[in-house]
Amino acid sequence: MVSTIQNTDVKQKDADLAVVVAVTTRAVFESADDDGGDVYGVGVAFPLLQALHKVNERLLEESPAESLLFDVILITTDDEQQQQCSRITGSTRHYGLEVSRFCFSSQEDFTESLLKNNVQLFLTTDRNEALRASQNGVLSALLDQQLASCPSEQLRVMISGDAVLRPDTDPVPAGQKGAQSFSTQLGQMRQKFGIFNSPLSIVLVTLHGGRESCGDALRTLRSRGVSVDEAHCLAGAPRGPILSVLRSHFLLCDVVSCLEE
């Protein structure tokens, strides 16, 4: 069973134009060491939600009528957390998080809630959840513990150049379409800010191939209206060191194999 609760404390976004991002509650709030209090502690995804809010805030400063905004949903699949509905909503209010809706579902049917809410990006710390959502056509990204050290004043999105260059097939997989659509929307958002002091930074990382592959990925993204702030070509080198320095909030990739690495 899937249930959705609207957050009346937040002005609802335009359903047709907003970019819907769903984040699991367990990634946003830390409930492992539950002390029984009224408010959960903050989880690894807390800086991510703050960064998403900062982008929205700056977009509305540029144009109060702006409709291309991030619309954040918290999705709960843990039975124990579902019994703490009021604590989840209260914690969101306590920290001033801009969350439009709260979705509660079982592990078996959480993908139904993603599709029902037209989620364009699903973020979770659970690899199996990310894979299942991706296999059902929902663009997904896996969050890790390094996210806790990411900036909260700027959203940093990493795009896989290898995925960008993956040849189109007929028909194009839903996940690949989702990645292209999402990156295009990011590009539209990024164009609304100047070169400096932008609340949104797009980083391209090409794991394999040389400078030619990186250049091809850049040209492909530009053809979609996406200009990147940084581009890194690893040419087969280990990605761990550079990723820890770049401190991106998530890796945007359009294929299940990215989640299986």
Side-chain angles (χ1 to χ4, degrees), residues 58-154:
R58 289 283 302 278
L59 284 169
L60 291 171
E61 286 177 4
E62 297 289 331
S63 174
E66 181 62 66
S67 297
L68 183 62
L69 303 166
F70 288 115
D71 191 13
V72 179
I73 297 175
L74 285 193
I75 180 166
T76 303
T77 58
D78 293 339
D79 290 337
E80 291 184 4
Q81 281 196 326
Q82 290 192 39
Q83 297 171 11
Q84 298 287 333
C85 174
S86 60
R87 190 175 179 189
I88 292 172
T89 57
S91 298
T92 302
R93 186 179 302 110
H94 173 80
Y95 293 114
L97 297 177
E98 189 181 29
V99 173
S100 296
R101 296 182 297 285
F102 304 92
C103 294
F104 299 89
S105 68
S106 66
Q107 278 284 349
E108 290 72 28
D109 57 15
F110 82 93
T111 56
E112 177 187 338
S113 63
L114 300 179
L115 297 170
K116 183 178 179 180
N117 285 279
N118 298 315
V119 170
Q120 289 149 281
L121 176 66
F122 172 58
L123 300 168
T124 177
T125 53
D126 187 307
R127 184 177 297 273
N128 290 329
E129 285 185 347
L131 285 169
R132 281 182 56 198
S134 181
Q135 290 165 349
N136 280 274
V138 180
L139 178 65
S140 306
L142 188 64
L143 306 176
D144 58 32
Q145 293 298 322
Q146 290 186 354
L147 180 62
S149 64
C150 289
S152 59
E153 293 296 310
Q154 182 186 58

Side-chain angles (χ1 to χ4, degrees), residues 160-174:
S160 166
D162 304 85
V164 170
L165 294 175
R166 190 171 294 272
D168 291 341
T169 57
D170 190 16
V172 178

